[in-house]
Every structure is written in C-alpha cells, then in structure tokens.
Amino acid sequence: MELIFSLAVGVMAASGIYLILRPRTFQVIIGLSLLAYAVNLFIFGMGRLKLAMPPVINPAQGSNPALYTDPLPQALVLTAIVIGFATTALFLVVLLAARGFSGTDHVDGREPEGK
Amino acid sequence: MVLLLIVSLPFIGSLCAALLPANARNAEAWLAGIIALAVTLLAACQYPQLAVEGVLRLDLPWSPTLGLDFQLRMDGFAWLFTLLVALIGLLVVIYARYYMSPADPVPRFFSFFLAFMGAMLGVVLSGNLLQLAMFWELTSLVSFMLIAYWHHRSDARTGARMALIVTGTGGLALLAGVLLIGHIVGSYDLDAVLAASGEIKAHPWYPAIVALVALGALTKSAQFPFHFWLPHAMAAPTPVSAYLHSATMVKAGVFLLARLWPVLAGSDLWFWLIGGAGLLTLLIGGYLALFQNDLKGVLAYSTISHLGLITLLLGMNSELALVAAVFHMVNHATFKASLFMAAGIVDHETGTRDINRLSGLYRAMPITATLALVAAAAMAGVPLLNGFLSKEMFFAETVFLGRPEWQRLLLPVAATLAGMLSVAYSLRFIHQVFFGQPTADLPHQPHDPARWMLLPSALLVAACLLVGILPGATVGPYLRTATDALLGPAAPAYSLAVWHGLNLPLYMSVTALFGGFMLYLPCIGRKNERIPLLGRFDGKKIFNRLLVMVMNRSGWLLGYLTSTRLQTQILVILLVALGGSLLPFADGLLLFGNAPLTAPDPAFALLWIVGAVCAVAAAWQAKLHRLAALILAGGAGLATSLTFVWFSAPDLALTQLAVEVVTAVLILLGLRWLPPRDARFQTGQEAPRVHLRRLRDGFLALAGGGGLAALTYAMLTRPAVDGIAPFFVEQALPQGGGLNVVNVILVDFRGFDTFGEITVVAIVALTVYALLRRFRPAPESLARPEQQREQGSPPGSGAPDLKASLPVGDLMLPAVLVRLLLPLALVISVFFLLRGHNAPGGGFVGGLVFATALILQYIVSGTQWVEARLRILPLYWMAGGLLAAAAAGIIGAAFGNPGGAPFLTAQSWHGSLPLVGDIHLSTVLLFDVGVYLLVVGATVLMLVAIAHQSLRGLHRDPSRDAGGSA
C-alpha cells in the first residue's frame, strides 16, 4: 500500500509540476489543483497509513492514542483543502480578468514574440 | 514623567492638528503655539532640578528580554537644546500663522511641524542610541514632508527627495555606527556608552565607527561634500526653513558630534575627518553664499558655512573649542532664524526673493530692515552681538591649536578668510535688499507686515543683543551647565566677556570686518550669472547623475537577476526547491526504512491506476481540451478522496468530495470566458525551441515527482513519531468534549487558526467579488455559447420567462428535482454541522453541501429566475459567520474562569428545556455555526459572481441594451 500511495503522490506531483510550467493559464490552474492533491496526500501521509482507525473516539474503547490514526495531519489537510478551493477561485478570477484586459490567456499577459 | 510629556505632547498635538478642518488657520496656530509653549515651560521648570542632580532620566521597559527600554535622558546639554527647539518652535509658529496663505492646507503644515518638534525633541532627549537613530530618521522623514509641502511645485518635490536620500542614507550609516558601538559596549544606553570611551577608542573598529557616525552627522548638518541638499530644501515654506533648515534639524548632526565628542574625539582621524570637512564647508559655503541671487539661497549657504564652523570647532580636539561650538550652535540658531523670518517677510510683502530685483526696501519696511540689519550684523560677527562672541572664541581656538606648525599657521588664515566672506555676504544681503534706490518693479507694493509677524523676529534679535552685551548674565550659567554635562570634570575654565583686551583674535576680527567690506566692494551692482571657480561643481548635478546611474545599474542588475516571465520564475522556484531538497542528503543517501508495511490491496492499486491515468491525461489535455482536462483532474481528485476514506480520514474525504464538486462548477463557469482553442495550436508546427522546453519541463516534472514519491516512501516505511498527536487524542473528550478529534482540533484546540482561516476565505471571496465587478468579458466571448445555440432554444430566449414556475423543455424535470433537493440538502448540511463534533462532518462540509444545493438552483433554473424568487445575501452570511465565530471566542473569554480566559476558550451549558428535553450547548457549536455560515456565504458569493458574468454578456448583446450589474 505504501508503495502505491507514494507512486500516486509522485505521479500527481509530476503532472502538476509539468502543468504549472506551461504557458496557458488554464494549464496552470489544473496543474495547481493536481499539485495540491499531491501535497495534501503527502502531508496526510505524515500520519502514516492506518486502516479502519479513524480519529473518532469510540467510547467503548477509550482514548488510547494507539487505537486511532494521527488526527493532526488530517486537521492540517482539511483546512488546506478549503484554502486550496479559495485560492483556486481567486486564481480563476484573476485569470479571467487578465484575459479580459489583455485579450490572451498566456500567463505573461501577452503572446510570446516570434510565434 | 515630565520628560515623557515633553516628547509626546508634540506628537499628540500633531494628531490633533491633522484632524482639524482645512481652513482652521487660527485654531491650528493656537494649538501648535500652546503645545510649543507648554513644552518650553515644562523644559524650563526642569532646570532647578537639573542643576542639582545633573541628569534626569526616565526608563520605560519596552522589551526587557531584549534589553530594549524606552529611555529619556536630560542633562544640561540636552536641556539647552530642548529649550532651543521648543522656544524657536513657538516663535516660528507665531510667524507661520501670518506667513501661510489662507489657500494653503494648514492642517498638513502644522501637523508635520509638530511631528518634527516631537522627533527633534526625541533626538535630543534620547537616552539610548538606537532610539536616537530612530528619531533621527523620523526628523528626515518629516523634513521630507515639509520640504514637499507645496507638492505641486517640481522644485519642492526634487528638493525633498534629495534631502531625504542624502539624510536618510546618512541615518542608515549612523545606525550602522550605533550598532558597532552597541556591540563593543554591550549596551545602547548613552551613559554606558559615555563611560566606555576608552574601550571604544582602543577598539580596532574605532575608525569604522568614526566614519559611520561622521557620515550620519555630516549629511544631516549639510557638510561638504553633502552640503548640496540644503539649498534645494529652501523650496519649503520659509517657516520650515527657519525652523528645520537653520535652527534645529541641521543642528542634529553637530548635536550628535558634540554628544559623542567625549567618546570619539581626540584622535588624528577625528581631526582630519571632522575638522577637515568643517573647514572646507566653512570656506566653500561662505564663498558660494556671496554669489547667490536668492535671498534664501544666501541664507542657506551661510547656514552651511556656519555649520562648517561648528563642525570645525568640534573637530579640533580641544575642550574649549567644544565650548565655543555649543555656544555658536545657540547663537547661530537665534540670528539665522531671525534672518530667515526677515527673508520670508520680504518675499511675502514684495512677491520676490531675487536680490537683483530688490532694492531700497528700507523706506517701505523700516522695522523689518532694522531687525534684519541687526541679525545680519550678528551673523557677520560685529561686536556687541552674540555672533561676535562665539566667533572670537573660534578665532582664539585656531590660534592656540595644538597641532604641527604649518597647521597652526594655516588655520587662523583660513578662519580670517571665512570671517571676511561672512562679513561680505551679510553686507550684500542687507545692502542690496534694503538700501540703494527703491524700485517700483515689484509684484506687490512693499510695507511692514502685521506686528505679530514681526514679533518673533524682534524677540530673536533682542536675544542676539542681550547675549552680545551681557553674555555672562544671560546665557553664561546655562552654557556652563551644558558644557559641564558634556565634559564632566574635564570641563575647562572659560569666561564669556565682550572685552578680552587687545589680542590676536581681536585683530583677526577687525581684519575680517575690513576685509569683508573690501571683498564686497567689487560685488556692488554686479549681477551674478555664474559663480566663478566653483560654479562648475554643482552638487545637484552630480547627485542626479549618481541617482540615474544607480537606477540604470539596478535596472540592469534586475534584468540579469530576475525575469518578468512567470514561467521562468516558476522554473527558478522549482529548481531551487529541488536543489534545496537534495541538501540534507549531502551526508548520505536517504534509505528506505523497515517499518511494517500494510498489505497491498488490488482494489487500491486499481484505484490509483485510474487516478494516475487521470492525472497524466489531464496534464496532456489541459492545453487543447479544457473540459476533458477538468473532468480528468476531477477523477484524480476523486481518487484522492477515496484514498482519504481508505486510510481512516472520513472528514477529509467528505470535505474533498464537496470541494471537488464546487471547484468543478467554478471552473466550468469560467471556461466560457477563455479564448477559443487557436487553430495554430493544432497544426503541430511549433518551433523546435518549444519542443525542447517541453522536454526539459518533462524531465523536471519527473525529477520532482520521483523525488516526492521517494520521500513519501522513505517516510512511510519508518515508524511514526509520537509527536503531539497523543495529546489531542487523549484530551479530545475530557477537554474538548467531542469524539471527532479532527473537529475538536479545528474548532477548539486550534480554534484561533481556524478563525484566521475562515477570515482568509472571506477575504478571498470578497476579492473575487471585487475583481469581477470591474471585469469586462472579452468581446468575442459575448455571443451565446455554441452548445446553447445548438440545443435550439427558442429564438429570443435570451430573456427567460421569469413568471413561469417551471422552465419549459428539457430542463423541466431536473428543475423539479433540484427544487425538491434544496430543503433536503439544507437538512443534511445542518445534520453534518450538528454532528460534526462527535462524528465525521462539521461546519466546512455542511457549508459546502448547502452551497452546492444553492448553486444547483442557479444552474438548472437560470440566474435570473432564481434571483427573482430567492434573495440570497452571501455578504450577510459571511458577516454573520465571522460574527458568530468571534462571538463564540468572546463569550468563551468573558465567561471563562473568574478573571477571564484566553480568546476562544470553550464554554458549555447543560440543561433541559420544556418539550425539547436535555440539551447541551457550547460555544464550540456556535463557532462551527460561524464556519458553516461563512463557507456558505463565501462559496455562493464567488460562484454567483462568476455566474453573473454571462448575464452581463446577455445585457451587452446589441439587441438588448440594458445595463447589467453583478
């Protein structure tokens, strides 16, 4: 499982990195989403992969930390997901406004010369 | 406490002055005057105590762990300066009341004027060198604002900029010097520094300290070669010139040199650096003053020259010279401020400051002329006036200089020459302006101004006379206290008397008087077009050339070091990140650990085969097939979400799922406004450069992704570290009262973080809203999209029927379903919210669920239809959310333990209500409700703002010409 998980993080990060280096704004926005998935999974993985041990305390079992997965990375990632959504929205709007102003969807606001 | 009052009163007054109405000339002057008077009286009342105790102190602990206190310290020297600053400030305020025209925005003037007074008093009274450097820079800043007071004039702007750059740079050098001193002494306390004089002089850094402090002081006091900023600062209103640029601020430099004199003076380096700069400035300033055509220009260069004299005295390494320097600081302030006032009056009454145009004003304005005459005589060093006394002391010092022979001979000659120059330009100033034939060719008919405008000048002139005739009875004791404070037991004996007998200094004075007269003779009637000899060395030109060079060079450097292109920037960031992540492995490769692994599950592998294909395909398609790429990225997101479920993170999975939906809707709404795919992309005829770049980026992506994968694996194969996680798990129930640990962390343990986070979300939503208010879609995107046209909606259906209860056509059935869904979604979202504390759910998920349901209404029924029936006010939701969260925090803080508790401390209440039964309420729930409300509001605000763009497009359709607004 760990290997699959690691490869998943790697593949998404690679796709994201490739995309954020591209010249079109839409590519960058998709790239940022993919990179965000990868980074969220990475942070989440800090708590190690545990099966069927959600950090919701079962009163019958008591609150022995060994029985539950690490809640801290989850709390971090949860806020990261919401903030990620907000920044995606912001970026989308900046993209649209830039397109409205400059007439192009190139990240630099103008088409490169010589093309 | 009185000390604190002295420093803070002007700042308080500055704030008040800024708030008065623009035409409150009298009120402003009264305010500033009363403050200056109060400071004067407060300072004066300190003298008896000071004479007994020697030093008054006030230490306010500010950051004790860093050893930083706010320290005020008043000794005799500081007292003298305080009185000077306050008293001349008072006189200048009275003068300014009549000088400023009713059209000038006086609040700005008096506000900065008082701020300057406060800053200058701060410099004078600082008991801590760092604090002194801070006030020092503050005076530069305020001076900038005051020089540029008439900012519609370009000379004011350039003059202000030049002054700020020169003095500000000097201030930085001073700060560096102070830091060095602090490092050697181990404290910035002025007393400690003064006590460590020997230590500093013996230290190898001593030359650097002297150079840096000198740089600060010489720039501030306009000493050669930094003197050029002062004449250009004359673009300021005359009261500012009188106060800042002759009497006080430019004295800060020599004040500091005198303050640190016991610590730094005494070496050859000091003599050559300070004394040399002073001598050059004394001569050059006097020479240039002789050739100025602007009244204020003459005074500016003469100020430079006199400051040079003071600097020279300070550089002579003799205690008596220090006494003379302090004496001359006071004398110069009195006669020069008075002369500036006279120049301002002439300017005010005649409309010009050009010496060549002015003539014979004595008849029209006799009082002004008399006052100016006496003050100018003091400047020239005529006996029975205060300038004569300090100049005599200066001459005496040059004669008795304890240096090698040639220097002992040269210095008195140079001093006499400077005295001659001083006499000559004073003569020229008075003779050309007030004597000779009266001219009729003036913008205004000149006459003496209001009595109140003359009063400040008259008082200063009276002081010149009094001190000049009875020095011992007037200024004597105070000067003695000041020099005693500077020199301590080493203070030399001296006598302030008008008559010292026939001696060499007296002969020098007489020579200077006659020589100056002779020097002036050839200048009578000459119009100075050019300045002989030194005319070509224009400091302003050199400065500007330097400035242009610095800007060009930095532009050139910037071009090398940075790029405006985003792709290059991201590339650099990635490369640095990659390189940085390799650094820890310099010692050895990262090996995979050997913690027990989870058995692989084929289903999970399958999930990620799909997920990886989605991610790679999204990267592949993002350029040409945006919709496909969006769907594929969503697939990768779903795989992520499922992974969260798989590995015991139900909250994350829920949130990720809800965010996936909202993000997809968001980007779908945006897709329409992107440019159509360009035909040239599909030809495949790109430059080889582009292919190469893609190849490079591909490698980079592989390296980054591979590295991250390896890192993840290396980490996952190691046992987990018991960090702070056990604390949260153990304390969630007893302290947080909840079973869902993640939720307890978010809303209770780390509630403040979450509070900050929802604030960020709110700000982002508002930014999105604000950006879209001004957004204009590209013209080619305005037409109805292809899909809508193809679906054959009836012609003219740009305006949907808002009265119809259901849309006709294909959307009728979805519309019914979606409307039924709304209450259900509301119930589910509230359910998620309420159970969040004990089971997966919470405010974030609940809010997103409800926002999705609302958006569905928009999608299916159309924006106009929904808004005709349902008024959602997302801004109110957001405000309510923030208020609820803040209220939860405040309630918790207010009703915590007796005496209050930290913000966001959780409080709960158990009880039972009729009908409902047992109930448990807590501020944590209120907090989560706040999160819920805010997430609903922010999400809906953003999505609706984007959705409205298409409406705007509709409105701009040529057939329907109505204004749209979002």
Side-chain angles (χ1 to χ4, degrees):
Chain A
M1 292 298 246
E2 277 78 4
L3 188 63
I4 303 170
F5 185 88
S6 312
L7 289 176
V9 171
V11 169
M12 287 211 285
S15 311
I17 290 174
Y18 180 74
L19 278 179
I20 59 171
L21 286 166
R22 300 270 59 76
R24 302 289 150 187
T25 43
F26 186 76
Q27 294 174 307
V28 176
I29 207 171
I30 295 287
L32 281 177
S33 299
L34 290 176
L35 202 57
Y37 294 145
V39 171
N40 283 346
L41 278 180
F42 178 75
I43 296 173
F44 169 67
M46 291 286 166
R48 303 300 183 274
L49 307 181
K50 303 267 177 69
L51 293 169
M53 293 162 77
V56 179
I57 288 166
N58 182 348
Q61 285 179 319
S63 33
N64 177 6
L67 295 174
Y68 306 97
T69 184
D70 190 344
L72 200 61
Q74 297 198 11
L76 289 177
V77 171
L78 200 146
T79 53
I81 293 173
V82 178
I83 289 278
F85 161 67
T87 47
T88 306
L90 183 62
F91 184 57
L92 182 81
V93 170
V94 170
L95 177 166
L96 295 180
R99 149 90 171 119
F101 280 123
S102 66
T104 165
D105 66 340
H106 194 280
V107 284
D108 294 334
R110 58 169 188 271
E111 293 293 329
E113 294 102 24
K115 251 191 95 173
Chain B
M1 274 333 264
V2 180
L3 293 185
L4 187 65
L5 210 58
I6 289 177
V7 174
S8 55
L9 259 184
F11 286 113
I12 297 167
S14 165
L15 277 182
C16 298
L19 298 175
L20 286 176
N23 54 358
R25 214 154 45 125
N26 284 323
E28 293 278 0
W30 274 110
L31 173 74
I34 287 171
I35 293 218
L37 185 67
V39 173
T40 313
L41 292 178
L42 281 174
C45 291
Q46 298 305 301
Y47 189 74
Q49 199 188 347
L50 192 79
V52 178
E53 292 178 24
V55 179
L56 307 178
R57 275 195 197 81
L58 177 80
D59 286 11
L60 296 176
W62 176 50
S63 176
T65 44
L66 292 174
L68 290 178
D69 292 344
F70 184 79
Q71 292 173 310
L72 294 176
R73 176 185 184 280
M74 184 191 257
D75 59 6
F77 184 51
W79 179 85
L80 192 65
F81 251 83
T82 307
L83 207 65
L84 197 71
V85 169
L87 208 55
I88 296 192
L90 175 63
L91 297 178
V92 173
V93 165
I94 299 171
Y95 175 76
R97 156 66 186 84
Y98 295 92
Y99 179 86
M100 301 308 283
S101 112
D104 289 325
V106 276
R108 189 151 52 87
F109 177 82
F110 282 106
S111 176
F112 283 124
F113 191 90
L114 285 172
F116 169 77
M117 188 186 284
M120 191 66 204
L121 289 170
V123 169
V124 171
L125 292 176
S126 280
N128 181 307
L129 287 181
L130 279 182
Q131 189 188 323
L132 186 144
M134 187 202 76
F135 279 118
W136 179 284
E137 290 289 44
L138 199 58
T139 58
S140 293
L141 273 179
V142 182
S143 151
F144 171 81
M145 301 308 281
L146 282 171
I147 299 172
Y149 175 70
W150 287 315
H151 50 65
H152 52 273
R153 285 169 34 183
S154 76
D155 61 331
R157 293 195 303 268
T158 48
R161 190 181 63 171
M162 193 187 293
L164 182 66
I165 292 178
V166 175
T167 55
T169 313
L172 284 180
L174 172 67
L175 180 64
V178 163
L179 289 176
L180 289 186
I181 293 178
H183 192 81
I184 295 174
V185 180
S187 160
Y188 296 103
D189 190 328
L190 192 56
D191 286 305
V193 172
L194 291 176
S197 156
E199 205 180 323
I200 292 174
K201 275 180 200 153
H203 202 277
W205 288 355
Y206 170 75
I209 293 174
V210 169
L212 288 168
V213 171
L215 205 57
L218 298 184
T219 49
K220 195 77 164 181
S221 284
Q223 294 298 290
F224 181 83
F226 311 110
H227 61 283
F228 56 88
W229 70 264
L230 189 59
H232 293 284
M234 293 298 135
T238 302
V240 173
S241 307
Y243 190 39
L244 271 70
H245 303 124
S246 78
T248 56
M249 190 187 86
V250 289
K251 295 270 165 43
V254 284
F255 169 83
L256 182 75
L257 290 180
R259 182 91 273 180
L260 294 178
W261 195 89
V263 182
L264 297 178
S267 66
D268 259 9
L269 175 71
W270 179 267
F271 174 78
W272 287 111
L273 198 64
I274 305 295
L279 180 63
L280 281 174
T281 315
L282 170 65
L283 291 172
I284 292 174
Y287 180 73
L288 291 176
L290 198 51
F291 297 100
Q292 297 304 309
N293 291 324
D294 178 6
L295 275 183
K296 281 174 79 177
V298 177
L299 295 179
Y301 278 104
S302 99
T303 303
I304 291 175
S305 170
H306 279 270
L307 288 167
L309 188 154
I310 299 170
T311 310
L312 173 58
L313 280 168
L314 290 169
M316 283 172 156
N317 289 338
S318 123
E319 280 84 6
L320 270 175
L322 177 67
V323 173
V326 175
F327 191 27
H328 199 66
M329 287 181 206
V330 179
N331 291 340
H332 177 254
T334 44
F335 64 67
K336 192 51 68 67
S338 159
L339 279 172
F340 264 110
M341 288 177 185
I345 290 171
V346 168
D347 182 17
H348 201 253
E349 299 302 325
T350 64
T352 178
R353 296 198 314 244
D354 188 342
I355 289 189
N356 295 325
R357 286 182 70 187
L358 294 165
S359 179
L361 287 181
Y362 188 84
R363 294 209 195 125
M365 35 205 321
I367 308 177
T368 314
T370 313
L371 292 175
L373 180 67
V374 179
M379 176 160 82
V382 173
L384 295 185
L385 290 164
N386 60 356
F388 171 74
L389 295 173
S390 41
K391 196 162 275 193
E392 283 276 292
M393 288 168 90
F394 165 60
F395 286 158
E397 279 311 304
T398 58
V399 174
F400 302 116
L401 183 72
R403 303 286 304 185
E405 188 76 4
W406 66 274
Q407 293 167 20
R408 269 216 340 249
L409 283 177
L410 193 69
L411 204 55
V413 174
T416 316
L417 185 63
M420 282 157 66
L421 287 170
S422 175
V423 171
Y425 63 68
S426 305
L427 255 178
R428 177 159 175 266
F429 181 91
I430 293 301
H431 183 250
Q432 293 222 349
V433 175
F434 293 107
F435 295 92
Q437 280 300 313
T439 48
D441 174 32
L442 290 172
H444 305 304
Q445 191 55 44
H447 55 81
D448 265 329
R451 213 169 297 161
W452 284 99
M453 195 169 180
L454 284 166
L455 177 77
S457 182
L459 287 175
L460 288 169
V461 166
C464 289
L465 273 165
L466 268 176
V467 171
I469 298 168
L470 299 166
T474 49
V475 80
Y478 308 113
L479 189 64
R480 168 72 63 188
T481 332
T483 49
D484 281 355
L486 281 176
L487 293 169
Y494 60 88
S495 85
L496 291 176
V498 181
W499 182 251
H500 284 284
L502 287 172
N503 52 12
L504 194 54
L506 188 66
Y507 293 135
M508 284 164 76
S509 278
V510 175
T511 316
L513 277 175
F514 279 101
F517 191 71
M518 303 306 285
L519 205 61
Y520 172 61
L521 282 181
C523 297
I524 295 178
R526 250 191 69 175
K527 291 199 193 308
N528 299 304
E529 297 298 329
R530 287 188 317 124
I531 301 168
L533 287 177
L534 289 179
R536 280 198 280 152
F537 300 98
D538 187 353
K540 183 187 176 187
K541 261 189 211 144
I542 299 170
F543 174 81
N544 282 339
R545 212 170 295 157
L546 218 64
L547 208 61
V548 169
M549 197 184 78
V550 166
M551 288 208 253
N552 287 345
R553 279 299 143 99
S554 49
W556 173 82
L557 202 64
L558 218 59
Y560 258 85
L561 292 180
T562 69
S563 164
T564 54
R565 300 191 46 221
L566 185 74
Q567 283 172 280
T568 319
Q569 292 174 12
I570 294 183
L571 183 70
V572 171
I573 292 175
L574 281 174
L575 285 176
V576 170
L578 265 178
S581 65
L582 289 179
L583 280 183
F585 308 125
D587 303 337
L589 266 178
L590 175 79
L591 295 175
F592 299 132
N594 47 9
L597 299 183
T598 332
D601 187 328
F604 188 67
L606 199 63
L607 169 70
W608 271 107
I609 289 174
V610 176
V613 168
C614 280
V616 174
W620 195 258
Q621 294 296 330
K623 182 168 191 178
L624 299 180
H625 302 280
R626 297 193 184 109
L627 185 61
L630 177 60
I631 295 169
L632 287 166
L638 274 182
T640 309
S641 181
L642 284 174
T643 308
F644 287 141
V645 183
W646 212 293
F647 297 118
S648 323
D651 277 292
L652 291 192
L654 273 174
T655 315
Q656 179 79 56
L657 207 60
V659 163
E660 257 342 288
V661 175
V662 184
T663 311
V665 174
L666 184 81
I667 299 184
L668 274 176
L669 285 170
L671 275 185
R672 176 174 168 188
W673 307 110
L674 289 172
R677 281 166 296 171
D678 213 314
R680 70 185 165 200
F681 290 146
Q682 282 154 332
T683 57
Q685 306 220 332
E686 289 123 337
R689 206 158 45 95
V690 178
H691 285 292
L692 267 179
R693 196 186 298 151
R694 280 190 200 144
L695 206 62
R696 179 200 67 194
D697 294 349
F699 273 116
L700 202 62
L702 281 182
L708 205 56
L711 202 61
T712 314
Y713 191 69
M715 183 192 59
L716 289 179
T717 49
R718 284 175 162 70
V721 184
D722 268 350
I724 46 175
F727 167 81
F728 290 119
V729 176
E730 279 160 9
Q731 301 300 329
L733 196 55
Q735 284 196 24
L739 296 175
N740 182 355
V741 185
V742 174
N743 185 273
V744 172
I745 293 177
L746 285 178
V747 298
D748 195 341
F749 287 130
R750 306 298 304 163
F752 201 57
D753 292 351
T754 312
F755 190 50
E757 191 213 348
I758 59 173
T759 313
V760 171
V761 173
I763 292 168
V764 168
L766 287 175
T767 314
V768 165
Y769 177 66
L771 274 172
L772 286 177
R773 274 169 67 93
R774 314 219 59 174
F775 169 63
R776 294 289 173 274
E780 71 263 26
S781 309
L782 281 182
R784 287 158 63 77
E786 200 183 334
Q787 292 81 352
Q788 279 188 25
R789 273 180 274 144
E790 272 182 6
Q791 279 173 2
S793 39
S797 67
D801 184 4
L802 298 184
K803 300 251 165 53
S805 55
L806 275 176
V808 284
D810 302 341
L811 283 175
M812 187 190 277
L813 211 53
V816 173
L817 287 178
V818 157
R819 271 171 225 168
L820 289 176
L821 202 62
L822 184 62
L824 272 178
L826 179 61
V827 170
I828 290 176
S829 71
V830 173
F831 171 66
F832 270 137
L833 164 69
L834 291 179
R835 76 174 206 152
H837 215 45
N838 292 318
F844 282 115
V845 181
L848 287 167
V849 167
F850 187 49
T852 312
L854 281 174
I855 288 305
L856 271 180
Q857 309 300 315
Y858 273 79
I859 294 177
V860 176
S861 304
T863 311
Q864 287 154 307
W865 192 91
V866 174
E867 291 190 345
R869 266 135 238 266
L870 185 64
R871 268 177 75 76
I872 308 165
L873 300 164
L875 289 172
Y876 285 81
W877 285 74
M878 284 164 56
L882 276 180
L883 285 177
I890 293 168
I891 291 171
F895 298 98
N897 311 323
F903 186 63
L904 279 170
T905 308
Q907 303 294 328
S908 60
W909 176 77
H910 261 295
S912 64
L913 287 177
L915 294 179
V916 184
D918 271 0
I919 195 160
H920 175 84
L921 287 176
S922 81
T923 56
V924 168
L925 181 65
L926 182 61
F927 186 81
D928 221 8
V929 169
V931 174
Y932 172 87
L933 292 176
L934 188 124
V935 169
V936 173
T939 314
V940 170
L941 182 70
M942 289 191 271
L943 291 174
V944 168
I946 297 185
H948 267 237
Q949 299 308 312
S950 52
L951 271 191
R952 196 177 258 186
L954 259 174
H955 286 308
R956 303 193 134 228
D957 211 326
S959 58
R960 298 171 45 82
D961 201 20
S965 66

